[in-house]
Amino acid sequence: MNDQTRSTKRLRAAVVGGGIGGLAAACAVGRRGIDVLVFEQAETLGEIGAGLTIFPNALRQLERMGLGEALAAVGAKIGDGSEYYRADGTVVGPMTMSDSSGWNGIYGMHRADLLNALAASLRPGTIRAGHRCIGFEQDDAAARLKFANGETAEADLVIAADGIHSALQRYVVAPTPPEYSGVRAYRGLIAREKLPDWRHEAQQVWMGDGKHFMTYPVRSGRLLNYVGFVPSKNATAESWSAVGDRDELASSFDGWDPRVVRLLEAVESCFWWGLYDRMPLQSWTNGRLALLGDAAHAMLPHLGQGANQAIEDGVALAVLLEGQDSADVPDIVQQYEKLRRARTDVIQAEARKNGQRYDSKYANLDQRDREIANFGVFRRSLFDYDVEKVAIAHLRENQPSLDRPREIRG
Ligand SMILES: Cc1cc2nc3c(=O)[nH]c(=O)nc-3n(C[C@H](O)[C@H](O)[C@H](O)COP(=O)(O)OP(=O)(O)OC[C@H]3O[C@@H](n4cnc5c(N)ncnc54)[C@H](O)[C@@H]3O)c2cc1C
């Protein structure tokens, strides 16, 4: 459709899933003039989950969406003093904590704090809780959703941000279960005052034989987030709320660096988590339906990029959709997929590789340590990526007649 024949009707997007990917996508498309509703199966966006790291590649997008102050108020800056260690606590090397410009845009965040900040920036009424999506259909004119509560919704575009077990994924590709990595993650939070000597502004990773342990601060530094990654044949369902066995966690790291042992003595309770991912899907889109976040590219957490990539997805989609017509949606979502997979296919694979490094799965650990020493180059390239600029450049190249897209700030 050319600019003269474009209708003036605003595009309507329906997002399924009110996790980080869904809410960030709603913020991004809303800022670009698209009417958006988010349908979340849970009755409330609760205080569940633990920590996440938000890196410069996503933080610069969130700041442009006007969330800078809100995130600064609840995030915990992580920077100098971030290090990799062997299991005994000897230092392997420093961790790169800035992009190439030197910007240390990194926060440890409680998942609930990030969700709340995103939700607060949406227009009241945008989020429809208690809506579990159970059906999708589409025709040339629109897409329609069916919910377990009997309601329905119609939109020009459906964004499926419904996580690794996406109910909508089967409308795009043949259903397959996610792959279990053989690793269970024990996660939890400890009050800062329980560990007064801890290096709180740092991310720290201890790499042992088949296991690793990680800490970083969240919630303005008042809480320390820890994760113990332990091999387990029994696949554990992923969940933000499955209660783990703290004794089993502590015994998994017996004899490690005394700092780790001391921290685990302070743990009262924890959650656990089976770690799953998927190989890149054959496709992310079908007509008016686009998968986003874990629904599109579930990855292991060993680069800390799952939520960061979900945020990037939403920004890319928003730039491509701005000012477009409903009839163009099927073509736009294909462009979105092409643009995003060039990045996420690589990150999915690199996340697996990094897990091997952290779990010391190397015949020669000197080789692992050399890779860790050089890893800063890859981290900086991850952090430097500006998805908004990339999507705008894509549009300028492919649709030079458009007066859009614009850069929007604040
Ligand atoms: C141990 C661990 C550590 C991690 N650390 C990091 C990190 O440091 N940094 C990082 O960026 N990422 C990290 N991740 C990954 C990150 O948590 C995920 O990639 C991210 O949360 C995915 O967001 P999402 O919105 O795609 O999916 P989800 O967060 O899974 O959200 C999906 C939402 O959809 C809803 N939903 C599901 N089905 C339906 C339905 N049928 N109808 C309506 N709603 C539905 C769910 O209730 C949920 O609210 C980590 C993950 C793990 C396991």
Side-chain angles (χ1 to χ4, degrees), residues 16-23 39-42 45 51-55 111 115 131-134 147 161-168 185 187 203 214 216 227 229 238 240 273-275 292-296 298-301 303-310:
V16 176
I20 293 161
L23 295 192
F39 298 98
E40 164 58 40
Q41 64 183 0
L45 302 178
L52 293 166
T53 37
I54 290 298
F55 287 113
R111 179 176 182 264
L115 283 177
H131 280 68
R132 182 166 64 86
C133 181
I134 54 166
F147 300 96
D162 51 349
I164 188 168
H165 296 295
S166 170
L168 292 181
R187 312 167 91 172
Q203 180 163 11
M214 175 182 296
Y216 54 84
V227 195
F229 296 86
E238 335 79 283
W240 288 102
W273 218 274
L275 295 189
L292 176 146
D294 278 7
M299 56 184 69
L300 293 177
L303 290 175
Q305 279 287 332
N308 286 268
Q309 290 307 306

Side-chain angles (χ1 to χ4, degrees), residues 47-71:
E47 174 77 357
I48 46 172
L52 293 166
T53 37
I54 290 298
F55 287 113
N57 52 303
L59 185 60
R60 78 167 58 81
Q61 307 303 332
L62 294 169
E63 289 191 345
R64 285 178 195 156
M65 289 185 213
L67 286 156
E69 266 180 42
L71 298 185

